[in-house]
Amino acid sequence: KEREQAELMDKMLQSKWDNEAKLQAMNDKFSRDMENLRKESEKRLKEQDSRLQNMADGKQKTLRDENKKKMDAFKKDLDVKKKEFETQHASLSSQLEQQKAEVKRIKELQ
């Protein structure tokens, strides 16, 4: 009977050790899985952040390009208006010089 109890005790101890080993293996697998999930999550967050940054950079470049086009058009318009002004100024200056000469000529005739 003692031998049966000893065998039963051995079986129970062996079963306990087996269960502890299985539990430890499950814990180890769970820890590895959680670490892999953490790494995968970090990787995905970095990729998403990179995509968002690229989108923001692209949007910023688009805005810069649009602003440059607007500024170039404004400068072109300004150049046209400047040339028109210079032409008008030269014409008016010429007319003024002619009028001065005419006034001088009339004064000389009087």
Side-chain angles (χ1 to χ4, degrees), residues 8-106:
L8 185 60
M9 210 47 164
D10 283 347
K11 283 182 183 179
M12 288 174 63
L13 276 175
Q14 187 61 46
S15 178
K16 177 184 177 235
W17 292 334
D18 289 347
N19 287 339
E20 285 176 348
K22 287 177 187 175
L23 185 62
Q24 185 61 47
M26 288 172 62
N27 281 339
D28 292 347
K29 183 180 182 327
F30 178 77
S31 293
R32 283 191 310 272
D33 289 349
M34 291 303 290
E35 181 63 19
N36 288 340
L37 280 173
R38 185 188 65 75
K39 288 178 181 177
E40 184 65 25
S41 292
E42 284 179 1
K43 178 182 169 190
R44 287 184 181 181
L45 282 172
K46 284 180 184 176
E47 288 171 355
Q48 186 177 20
D49 187 50
S50 177
R51 280 193 302 274
L52 288 172
Q53 186 63 46
N54 288 340
M55 287 171 56
D57 290 346
K59 180 71 173 171
Q60 195 172 20
K61 182 184 182 319
T62 300
L63 288 173
R64 270 197 311 268
D65 291 348
E66 287 174 6
N67 286 340
K68 184 179 181 330
K69 286 178 187 174
K70 287 178 186 175
M71 186 58 81
D72 289 346
F74 176 74
K75 285 179 181 177
K76 193 173 186 180
D77 188 45
L78 200 58
D79 286 343
V80 168
K81 288 182 179 180
K82 182 181 175 190
K83 283 185 171 69
E84 288 174 0
F85 172 79
E86 289 171 346
T87 302
Q88 287 179 343
H89 184 270
S91 175
L92 289 173
S93 293
S94 175
Q95 287 177 11
L96 182 61
E97 290 303 317
Q98 288 174 358
Q99 288 171 350
K100 282 182 182 178
E102 189 68 24
V103 167
K104 186 177 178 183
R105 192 177 63 79
I106 290 173

